[in-house]
DNA sequence: TACGATCAGGAAATCGGATTCCTAGTTTCC
DNA sequence: GGAAACTAGGAATCCGATTTCCTGATCGTA
């Protein structure tokens, strides 16, 4: 392209017949200039298509007007919406976003951190793949952790309020008259699996109910969702599966899955066993990942963690910190209950 | 954090007992210095944790060592891997990636383009949501279009080779002895739907075969995949669906779906109709989107467009262009056939 | 009329490195 | 032994915009 065509402030100054400093003042609405002069400069500027050089600007401003988005993950299903939400909010603050994905590699992460420091980013948003707390990074600028909180409670973190999400589900299910509720989690050691179970148990206990059977843990796949359903059904019937009268003996009237993927698998298997969702068994998912929650038959009642908003919130906190008003501690963002046919029938 | 702690080159110079210019030379391996001096400077530098200010560096280098990743899309399923692949390749070239998502809004896109120009990015990679050609952007630096090519054939674009992908599928299916092949596309007006059909038809014709029936177009949902299967089965049987002997009269022995989502829906419906995949009907998808292709029952034979590699390739072309060796025209990246149980049984 | 106050706009310093140009020392070679 | 050829490293300039400081002109008021 027309490489040499970069317009400098002196070019504008020449065209407008003023000095470079006047151009700067005119375009930034500073200093004291006659309005006619400002107008003349502005016209010259956009006649030439002048766009001030950000490097020069940040050199003297001692600010880069850039923030780093450091993703432990390769920006997967969870961190991606967070990153997008953040990027979106940053644009409003006239900030640009430097993308840095570490792909779980500490060496790469370190490299990225150095690069961000070299660029003198005004701040950094760190996201992770899971809600497990992570080691904080050490940098000379404000940092906000999103989705995966910092293990240092003094750092600023924004995480989805999983407990509240589960509370909403319990209220919903119990409100529908469901009483015998089983739980299917993902990987046993992950916070998402555990927190959701613990909250479920506590909320049921508060209503003089209890989780049916032990919590079932496996992985986060649809296949495990299917198998878990079999275990639950088997639990109520002994091993033989006499068809037909199954419904009479159902050990549960609702199953809470820790993710939409699990729930979708669960719905499939329930249907294949001749059971109706939600008439015989209500099902709930978690995440509101549309590819799963909407494609499921029936579509899933689930919890939307509002990850985009979470990223946006992280950006807001970061901007505040950059402007000298840093936050401390973990902020929990309220999720949204999404009711669909897997609990409400065709309603 | 320790805001004031930013180390400048003069600090290093002072500690090492040399001048700033000597520090610069020592750290960049330029100029002529005694090795002992270089060592002394290096030590001082990392004792202080000196990281040169990128703004200052790019101001004098007249290069930002930054490239823009402009995504028309909100970095969705297709553009995301491209973006990640690109970011990954850029890191190798010591370049940072500025993320800019336009979300289909021309105003936002224009805003982002201005911001990228202001930052004097060394180049821009533009990605889109579909493979539809798009309007080029006008900027004074090299641009490479990835996934969605530029409508100007003189621009550099990298796109997946859909025709080759379909050719691989046809070879595979025909090699397995399948002869009566139907096609199910997504949205009728999209290049992905059309190119795949046209290539399928041509490849079959080259083997004295023809696509069974008309190509079926709908949307990209699983639901449409299921419905399409019904249309295909109905086509061979009249309207009444006498169960049991269905297999005798099957109008097809394979269905090529234009996406994994469609194919997964298709598999579900085939199974629900009592047909076995692939014994009765082989099924192929497209995209190798693991959430679909692996979760499908059976797992899908499909085509991996290698979008990460595509992004990587775009980055390579961009880097070459930045270094003065620009490419022209559309480069098609070979996809990879992924064979799974939906055509090969348990093999 | 004169003097201080206000105002418009220019000159120069600054941001932090990179790079070009010099200048003392040190070698080399005749 | 002296001139030419290197060497090591410092001083100064530059990148492009912002910002401070300053000057000349205009205005207001006694």
């Amino acid at each position: 392209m027309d490489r040499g065509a970069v317009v400098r402030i002196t070019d504008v100054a020449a065209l407008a017949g003023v000095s470079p400093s006047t151009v700067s003042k005119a375009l930034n609405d500073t200093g004291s200039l006659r309005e006619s002069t400002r107008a003349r400069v502005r016209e010259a500027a956009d006649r030439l298509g002048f766009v001030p050089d950000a490097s020069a600007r940040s050199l003297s401003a001692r600010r880069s007007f850039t923030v780093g988005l450091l993703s432990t993950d390769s920006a997967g299903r969870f961190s991606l919406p967070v990153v997008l939400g953040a990027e979106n909010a940053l644009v409003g603050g006239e900030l640009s976003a430097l993308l840095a994905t570490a792909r779980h590699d500490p060496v790469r992460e370190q490299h990225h951190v150095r690069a961000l420091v070299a660029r003198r980013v005004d701040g950094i948003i760190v996201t992770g793949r899971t809600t497990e707390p992570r080691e904080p990074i050490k940098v000379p600028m404000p940092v906000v952790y999103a989705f995966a909180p910092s293990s240092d409670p003094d750092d600023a973190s924004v995480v989805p309020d999983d407990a509240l999400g589960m509370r909403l589900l319990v209220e919903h299910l119990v409100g529908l008259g469901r009483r015998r509720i089983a739980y299917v989690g993902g990987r046993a050691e992950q916070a998402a699996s555990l927190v959701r179970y613990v909250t479920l148990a506590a909320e049921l206990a508060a209503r003089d109910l209890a989780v049916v059977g032990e919590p079932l843990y496996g992985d986060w796949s649809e296949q495990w969702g299917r198998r878990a359903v079999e275990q639950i059904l088997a639990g109520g019937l002994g091993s033989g599966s006499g068809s037909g009268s199954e419904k009479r003996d159902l050990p549960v009237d609702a199953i809470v899955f820790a993710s939409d993927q699990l729930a979708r698998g669960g719905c499939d298997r329930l249907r294949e066993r001749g059971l109706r969702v939600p008439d015989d068994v209500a099902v709930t998912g978690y995440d509101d990942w549309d590819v799963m929650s909407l494609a499921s038959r029936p579509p899933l009642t689930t919890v939307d963690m509002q990850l985009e908003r979470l990223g946006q919130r992280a950006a807001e906190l970061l901007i505040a910190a950059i402007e000298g008003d840093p936050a401390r501690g973990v902020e929990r963002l309220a999720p949204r209950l999404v009711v669909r046919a897997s609990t409400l029938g065709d309603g």
Side-chain angles (χ1 to χ4, degrees), chain A residues 4-32:
Chain A
V6 232
V7 180
R8 292 179 307 283
I9 198 172
T10 53
D11 302 323
V12 178
L15 178 58
V18 297
S19 75
S21 45
T22 300
V23 174
S24 175
K25 288 167 191 160
L27 298 181
N28 296 308
D29 270 317
T30 59
S32 77

Side-chain angles (χ1 to χ4, degrees), chain A residues 165-197:
Chain A
M166 187 52 75
R167 209 169 307 142
L168 293 173
L169 284 175
V170 171
E171 269 167 24
H172 175 66
L173 286 173
V174 172
L176 290 170
R178 308 288 167 160
R179 293 293 179 272
R180 289 164 298 134
I181 302 178
Y183 177 78
V184 177
R187 292 178 53 185
E189 76 280 12
Q190 295 195 330
S193 286
L194 291 175
V195 170
R196 289 167 198 178
Y197 173 68

Side-chain angles (χ1 to χ4, degrees), chain A residues 5 7 47 68 112 128-129 141 149-150 190 200 238 262 311 316 338 342:
Chain A
V7 180
R47 180 122 66 105
H112 275 127
R129 182 173 100 275
M141 59 268 294
S150 165
Q190 295 195 330
L200 171 64
L262 296 173
E316 289 168 9
V338 181
S342 73

Side-chain angles (χ1 to χ4, degrees), chain A residues 62-69 96-98 112-113 115-125 139-142 318 322:
Chain A
R62 300 155 147 289
R63 274 196 57 185
S64 62
F65 298 96
T66 298
V67 317
L69 299 180
S96 293
L98 275 174
H112 275 127
V113 168
L116 293 176
V117 171
R119 291 213 138 69
R120 303 289 192 266
V121 292
D122 297 336
I124 299 180
I125 293 175
V139 292
M141 59 268 294
L318 185 62
I322 290 171

Side-chain angles (χ1 to χ4, degrees), chain A residues 83-319:
Chain A
V83 165
L84 290 181
E87 189 254 356
N88 221 253
L90 292 171
V91 172
E94 296 288 298
L95 295 169
S96 293
L98 275 174
L99 180 64
T101 67
R103 307 196 166 200
H104 304 294
D105 180 347
V107 177
R108 287 177 62 95
E109 177 168 315
Q110 199 45 46
H111 180 257
H112 275 127
V113 168
R114 262 188 69 92
L116 293 176
V117 171
R119 291 213 138 69
R120 303 289 192 266
V121 292
D122 297 336
I124 299 180
I125 293 175
V126 178
T127 71
R129 182 173 100 275
T130 68
T131 47
E132 256 56 50
R134 56 152 290 153
E135 277 294 293
I137 59 176
K138 309 179 306 300
V139 292
M141 59 268 294
V143 179
V144 173
Y145 298 81
F147 196 64
S150 165
S151 54
D152 179 345
D154 275 350
D155 289 334
S157 305
V158 193
V159 301
D161 191 339
D162 262 19
L164 175 54
M166 187 52 75
R167 209 169 307 142
L168 293 173
L169 284 175
V170 171
E171 269 167 24
H172 175 66
L173 286 173
V174 172
L176 290 170
R178 308 288 167 160
R179 293 293 179 272
R180 289 164 298 134
I181 302 178
Y183 177 78
V184 177
R187 292 178 53 185
E189 76 280 12
Q190 295 195 330
S193 286
L194 291 175
V195 170
R196 289 167 198 178
Y197 173 68
V198 170
T199 313
L200 171 64
E203 288 293 319
L204 287 180
R207 293 167 172 77
D208 287 322
L209 298 169
V211 179
V212 174
E214 289 299 304
L216 300 176
Y217 295 111
D219 54 29
W220 294 103
S221 69
E222 289 183 56
Q223 188 179 34
W224 163 238
R226 293 194 295 266
R227 284 220 296 264
V229 162
E230 273 164 22
Q231 287 189 31
I232 289 171
L233 295 180
L237 294 167
S239 55
S241 69
S243 68
S245 69
E246 261 189 283
K247 296 175 192 178
R248 298 258 67 133
D249 313 325
L250 283 180
V252 299
D253 56 17
I255 306 177
V256 169
F257 291 88
S259 84
D260 289 345
Q261 241 172 318
L262 296 173
R264 179 178 183 175
C267 283
D268 284 347
R269 184 52 40 96
L270 287 168
R271 190 176 58 252
E272 287 158 13
R273 285 285 178 273
L275 296 172
R276 289 168 308 163
V277 175
D279 307 55
D280 299 319
V281 179
V283 166
T284 65
Y286 211 101
D287 297 344
D288 196 23
W289 185 17
D290 54 3
V291 175
M292 292 292 144
S293 61
L294 291 177
S296 169
R297 290 182 286 166
L300 299 171
T301 289
T302 185
V303 173
D304 173 4
M305 293 189 281
Q306 309 216 75
L307 295 178
E308 283 224 19
R309 187 174 290 184
L310 191 120
Q312 184 184 320
R313 181 67 186 140
E316 289 168 9
L317 289 179
L318 185 62
I319 290 174

